[in-house]
Structure formats: structure tokens, C-alpha cells
Amino acid sequence: MIDVAQRDEALARFQSQIGVDFENAALLNEALTHSSFTNEHPECDIRDNQRLEFLGDAILDFLVGEWIYIHYPSAREGVLTSVRAHIVRTEGLAAFAEQINLGEYLRLGRGEAASGGRSRAANLCAAFEALVGAIYLDQGMKRARAWVHRFLEQRGEEVSRHYGPRDPKTMLQEYVQGRLHVTPNYRIVREEGPDHAKIFTAQVLVDDQIWGEGAGPSKREAEKAAANAALEAHSVSR
């Protein structure tokens, strides 16, 4: 038996906690309903949160993309894509959900709840996306944007660390994949010097064209030097 009054009370607490007062509480209830709950209650006219998750996923991609586009005006497309992926990954959104104690308010089936479903990252991520979708439908894009940006501002320092100086091979890969949709390849073309002090020379190739060459005391360092040369040759912002 579903205790409607108890559920309404829980939803009221949650709305107060997240700072959003829903006009249509049914949307919030749907956003917090896992498929395991609907499977156990076929007699009830209840929808799970999968459709709202789909909508919220698209809205989050847009809002997060908008936020990093504004905050990092000199970043290239590949870097923007990487930062967005870092933020909207399952673990990242689950962490946002944990900040608002979302797991406590999920409607789960008995088996899912007993197996730790309230703290499972996939469930929290899906419910957070569904919640964003519900806020958008109930309050509009302006309200959804303000609500999502609040989380992003709290994570600003972490995002900046991810955006900051990184391995040149990673930066080159992001640039090339973002622009040409291919992956750079590296090859060692020379080894010089005695065994205890070898110098390696590497080239980085994109579509079989040499983009850069560099040397170093190890193959890895030589490849990094080649990537740096390619970044400089193509004026890629660091």
C-alpha cells in the first residue's frame, strides 16, 4: 500500500531542500520514481523517470555546454567537449545528487532498495537528470538554468583544475578529434646515444601527415615533445 500523505510530506520537504516549488508535483514524483517501483506496482497509474531522464540529459548537455562556453572563452572545441564530459559523467551527476540527498527521496522497488539502490551512482545520476527535466517542464528554461548553474559554480574550482594545464598528448588528441574526428598516432623514428643515456625522437601523425616532431630521454617524453610541437604549429591554445 502506498501512503499518499506520507509521500506528499516527503515531496514537500524535498522541494524546500532544493529550493524549487513545483506547480505540478506529479512531475517531481515521476522524476523520483525508479522503474523497479513501477514494476512492483502495476496496479497503480505511475510512470517511472526514464522519459524525464532522457529530456534532462539533453538539457544538461546544453546548460553545461553553455556555462563552460561562457566561462572559458579561449578554450577550443575539443577542450570544451572534454570538460563537459567530465562534468556530466555518471559519477559527476551522482555527486550533485548526493549534495541534495536525492537518494533518500527515490521511490524504489523493495529489492532495489535492499541492494543499496539509494546510493547507486547510476540511479542517482538518472534521477538528477530526470529532476532537471521536471524543473524545465514545470518552471521553464530560465529556472532550470539558474538551478543547474548553482551546482556548476560550486564546482568551479574543480572544473578549472580539469581545464588547466594538461598533458600535451591529451590536448592534441582533443583538438584533432574535435576538428577532424580522427586520433593522432605516434612513432619513434630515431634512437641515439648509449643505453644509459638514450635520446628518442618521435613524430606525431594525423591522417598519415607529420604534425610535429620532438625528442626526449624516453619514448613517452619524446611523444610529449612531438605533441607540443604540433600544438605550437597549429596555434592551439594551452
Side-chain angles (χ1 to χ4, degrees):
M1 175 70 83
I2 301 172
D3 191 323
V4 176
Q6 191 175 56
R7 182 60 182 173
D8 288 346
E9 182 182 332
L11 291 180
R13 285 199 312 273
F14 187 63
Q15 289 176 89
S16 176
Q17 187 171 306
I18 65 174
V20 179
D21 201 4
F22 275 78
E23 293 182 17
N24 181 2
L27 279 171
L28 175 59
N29 213 18
E30 182 179 330
L32 298 175
T33 300
H34 188 264
S35 58
S36 63
F37 184 88
T38 60
N39 290 338
E40 286 189 9
H41 296 277
E43 76 284 356
C44 299
D45 184 20
I46 302 170
R47 290 210 304 196
D48 64 41
N49 62 11
Q50 291 178 340
R51 283 174 53 83
L52 283 175
E53 176 192 352
F54 168 80
L55 178 61
D57 175 64
I59 293 168
L60 273 167
D61 266 358
F62 168 70
L63 291 178
V64 173
E66 177 188 53
W67 187 84
I68 60 178
Y69 178 88
I70 292 169
H71 280 71
Y72 303 108
S74 64
R76 299 275 185 166
E77 178 191 2
V79 175
L80 295 175
T81 299
S82 175
V83 174
R84 181 175 61 186
H86 174 75
I87 293 172
V88 301
R89 72 195 196 284
T90 297
E91 295 79 9
L93 296 184
F96 287 160
E98 288 172 349
Q99 286 182 233
I100 55 175
N101 201 22
L102 191 152
E104 178 183 336
Y105 298 93
L106 285 179
R107 291 204 296 185
L108 303 173
R110 289 185 297 274
E112 184 66 21
S115 64
R118 295 191 185 282
S119 59
R120 187 166 291 124
N123 291 346
L124 293 175
C125 172
F128 188 84
E129 290 173 335
L131 181 56
V132 170
I135 292 172
Y136 164 74
L137 290 177
D138 191 75
Q139 312 264 321
M141 183 61 84
K142 184 177 180 180
R143 185 71 182 91
R145 177 183 285 110
W147 195 78
V148 170
H149 280 196
R150 183 184 68 181
F151 289 91
L152 298 177
E153 295 295 343
Q154 292 171 2
R155 289 285 182 85
E157 185 177 339
E158 176 194 331
V159 173
S160 294
R161 285 199 303 271
H162 185 76
Y163 168 74
R166 286 173 296 136
D167 182 272
K169 291 179 65 176
T170 301
M171 293 184 67
L172 182 63
Q173 180 169 317
E174 290 171 350
Y175 173 75
V176 171
Q177 288 180 337
R179 279 299 197 66
L180 304 176
H181 308 292
V182 297
T183 300
N185 292 307
Y186 294 85
R187 66 184 180 191
I188 301 299
V189 294
R190 283 194 303 279
E191 296 182 21
E192 301 172 301
D195 288 343
H196 67 278
K198 273 191 180 298
I199 296 297
F200 298 87
T201 300
Q203 292 176 342
V204 56
L205 296 90
V206 177
D207 269 350
D208 295 325
Q209 295 184 358
I210 298 171
W211 275 40
E213 183 173 298
S218 68
K219 292 180 181 179
R220 177 177 174 78
E221 290 302 315
E223 290 176 354
K224 287 171 65 175
N228 262 323
L231 291 169
E232 291 173 4
H234 290 80
S235 302
V236 179
S237 299
R238 306 304 179 92

